[in-house]
Amino acid sequence: CSKDLDAKAFNKAIFEIAEEYKLNDSVFAHGAQYGDNKNKYWQACDLFVFPTYYHNESFPMVLLEAMQQKKACISTNEGGIPEIIIPDQTGYLIPKQDHVSLANKISYLIDHQDLCAQMGKNGLIRYNQLFTLQKFEENFVSIIKDCLK
């Protein structure tokens, strides 16, 4: 889909593709979710897929949120994403716009639920070690101290 699509047009495009491939009963676009309602979606999913190829993608917080929820992540090697996902440990990195690799990795994790769950646990450990607010504050203070030396 074009990066110029707004949310309404994007949803329409998704539903048209789903209809074309007879996936209407399997493909859903729920839109933005918040609070307890968003938590219900996190609890209901097994893994998180973020196949971005947006050239200005820098450090998508949604991947950190997925790791915090113990979800294995599949994404691309765009921007700072390789600093978030450790291939074969917390999820997979796929080439941008490679739908075959994407489908293969999703299918593999669906067929290997134990591995998917372990990647989710590894992701939570990585999140707690590197990406909490406390870690951000510690790193920020360290940088400021280094600059003042």
Side-chain angles (χ1 to χ4, degrees):
C1 292
S2 167
K3 67 180 180 183
D4 297 325
L5 288 178
D6 64 13
K8 193 174 194 179
F10 178 78
N11 286 344
K12 183 179 182 218
I14 293 295
F15 288 122
E16 287 173 358
I17 293 168
E19 187 173 303
E20 177 183 348
Y21 289 95
K22 300 184 183 353
L23 296 171
N24 298 48
D25 295 334
S26 303
V27 174
F28 307 95
H30 298 285
Q33 302 296 317
Y34 303 96
D36 289 338
N37 201 41
K38 178 170 61 171
N39 290 334
K40 291 177 191 173
Y41 282 96
W42 281 123
Q43 292 167 6
C45 74
D46 294 317
L47 62 110
F48 184 71
V49 180
F50 187 67
T52 187
Y53 57 91
Y54 178 56
H55 67 281
N56 284 332
E57 197 70 68
S58 58
F59 201 80
M61 301 301 281
V62 70
L63 291 171
L64 299 182
E65 190 173 8
M67 292 169 74
Q68 187 180 21
Q69 297 292 327
K70 293 177 29 174
K71 305 303 173 188
C73 295
I74 301 173
S75 193
T76 57
N77 57 355
E78 184 65 54
I81 294 171
E83 300 301 319
I84 299 171
I85 297 173
I86 305 299
D88 301 322
Q89 292 180 26
T90 63
Y92 295 115
L93 293 173
I94 58 164
K96 291 177 267 189
Q97 298 185 341
D98 185 344
H99 63 278
V100 173
S101 291
L102 176 62
N104 287 339
K105 293 301 185 187
I106 293 170
S107 179
Y108 187 81
L109 287 180
I110 288 171
D111 290 342
H112 296 86
Q113 287 292 309
D114 290 345
L115 175 61
C116 187
Q118 186 59 53
M119 286 180 165
K121 290 175 187 173
N122 293 345
L124 178 60
I125 291 167
R126 182 165 174 75
Y127 171 83
N128 287 328
Q129 289 174 341
L130 299 173
F131 301 119
T132 63
L133 180 57
Q134 180 181 348
K135 288 295 178 187
F136 172 80
E137 290 172 351
E138 290 171 5
N139 291 336
F140 187 75
V141 168
S142 176
I143 290 168
I144 298 298
K145 285 180 179 179
D146 284 348
C147 289
L148 296 174
K149 288 182 181 178

